[in-house]
């Protein structure tokens, strides 16, 4: 359950065979029974054989659980590190960013096979958990001439805007080049009714690369617009 909670908090969907009678049981002893009961009571949604967290309000509650329950082990530890990851990103402190990613990689988490960008995205979503208090974080959002891995829309118009691209067996420089080439920053070009810009902060391009050969992470932050 702990592993699956981490995946769902990272925006993933978990395969499950629903047992609708589980909500009537006096004791819930298996993951299948517990998640089935959560579906019945509206805490999770079931669709096409998978369960997931259905909306922002419930996602916020799950995030609070991850941040405050040290009994969740490595999941809690990663969530706690997420504030340091956000602050390091905003400061362009790539050394700290890499250290947080290495910490995540050295935990027992099952999210880190890193066979493709999807698996890397799951852990990145988790280590930016704290960002959700300040940002509307969207994954695989349509932007420019493609789909950006993550885009962080600030709730406060003066906060920095973040565009994050992930690469396995490619460099962070290549990730940032893709951000520029596909013009992802156009997502922040919205204007208000008086013609002023909706977003007033800097636009930061964040590239994260992981090498399956060296097992090392590399990060780069570049200011696209002051």
């Amino acid at each position: 359950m702990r592993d699956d909670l981490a995946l769902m908090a990272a925006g993933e969907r978990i395969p499950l065979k629903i047992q609708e009678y589980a909500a009537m049981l006096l004791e819930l002893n298996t993951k299948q029974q517990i998640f089935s009961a959560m579906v019945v009571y509206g805490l999770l949604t079931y669709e096409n054989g998978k369960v997931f967290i259905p909306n922002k309000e419930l996602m916020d509650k799950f995030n609070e659980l991850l941040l405050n329950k040290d009994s969740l082990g490595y999941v809690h530890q990663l969530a706690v590190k997420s504030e340091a990851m956000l602050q390091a990103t905003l400061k362009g402190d790539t050394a700290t960013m890499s250290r947080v990613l290495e910490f995540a990689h050295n935990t027992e988490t099952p999210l880190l096979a890193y066979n493709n960008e999807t698996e890397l995205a799951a852990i990145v979503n988790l280590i930016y958990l704290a960002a959700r208090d300040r940002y509307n974080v969207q994954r695989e959002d349509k932007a420019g001439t493609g789909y950006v891995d993550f885009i962080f829309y600030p709730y406060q118009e003066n906060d920095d805007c973040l565009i994050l691209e992930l690469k396995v067996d490619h460099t962070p420089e290549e990730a940032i080049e893709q951000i520029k080439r596909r013009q992802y920053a156009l997502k922040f070009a919205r204007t208000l009714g008086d013609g002023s810009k909706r977003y007033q902060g800097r636009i930061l391009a964040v590239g994260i690369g992981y090498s399956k050969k060296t097992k090392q992470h590399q990060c780069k932050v570049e200011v696209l617009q002051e």
Side-chain angles (χ1 to χ4, degrees):
M1 280 194 64
R2 179 183 64 182
D3 296 345
D4 286 343
L5 282 172
L7 285 165
M8 285 191 285
E12 300 300 316
R13 299 184 175 208
I14 305 301
L16 189 77
K17 185 176 180 180
I18 286 293
Q19 297 177 333
E20 293 186 6
Y21 65 85
M24 305 302 294
L25 297 177
L26 295 179
E27 290 187 9
L28 300 173
N29 297 311
T30 69
K31 178 181 77 173
Q32 190 174 25
Q33 290 173 347
I34 294 169
F35 283 164
S36 294
M38 292 174 75
V39 169
V40 172
Y41 289 116
L43 299 174
L44 297 174
T45 292
Y46 177 78
E47 186 177 277
N48 298 325
K50 295 182 178 181
V51 292
F52 57 96
I53 301 170
N55 55 51
K56 182 183 184 303
E57 290 72 24
L58 284 171
M59 183 67 83
D60 288 344
K61 291 297 183 182
F62 276 90
N63 294 348
E64 185 179 337
L65 174 72
L66 299 183
L67 285 166
N68 293 305
K69 292 292 184 181
D70 55 10
S71 59
L72 288 172
Y74 77 87
V75 178
H76 169 72
Q77 295 173 40
L78 292 180
V80 170
K81 290 283 186 181
S82 65
E83 180 61 36
M85 187 68 175
L86 174 61
Q87 292 304 318
T89 303
L90 294 173
K91 294 175 183 176
D93 181 357
T94 56
T96 296
M97 291 171 66
S98 294
R99 282 197 298 271
V100 173
L101 283 162
E102 292 302 324
F103 173 83
H105 189 272
N106 291 332
T107 67
E108 60 196 83
T109 172
L111 308 181
L112 293 167
Y114 283 7
N115 292 319
N116 52 51
E117 277 82 9
T118 299
E119 293 174 348
L120 179 55
I123 194 64
V124 165
N125 211 336
L126 194 58
I127 61 171
Y128 278 100
L129 194 68
R132 297 178 188 174
D133 289 336
R134 294 173 55 182
Y135 292 90
N136 174 15
V137 182
Q138 296 293 321
R139 181 172 167 185
E140 294 291 342
D141 198 17
K142 181 72 172 68
T145 60
Y147 288 85
V148 63
D149 284 335
F150 289 95
I151 192 161
F152 294 59
Y153 298 97
Y155 293 126
Q156 299 295 321
E157 61 184 23
N158 292 323
D159 278 353
D160 293 334
C161 307
L162 303 178
I163 303 168
L164 194 152
E165 190 70 23
L166 311 170
K167 290 294 181 186
V168 172
D169 286 336
H170 291 278
T171 66
E173 287 78 12
E174 290 175 288
I176 288 180
E177 177 55 35
Q178 179 174 315
I179 290 172
K180 294 176 179 177
R181 185 176 67 254
R182 296 188 177 176
Q183 299 180 299
Y184 293 153
L186 289 175
K187 292 294 284 187
F188 298 114
R190 302 174 186 170
T191 57
L192 301 175
D194 61 2
S196 61
K197 289 184 178 180
R198 166 68 178 83
Y199 300 105
Q200 302 291 329
R202 299 178 302 167
I203 299 177
L204 304 181
V206 182
I208 295 178
Y210 176 76
S211 169
K212 287 189 283 188
K213 181 178 180 180
T214 66
K215 310 298 183 187
Q216 300 245 323
H217 301 82
Q218 290 184 304
C219 304
K220 183 176 176 64
V221 179
E222 184 174 323
V223 179
L224 299 181
Q225 181 178 308
E226 291 285 356

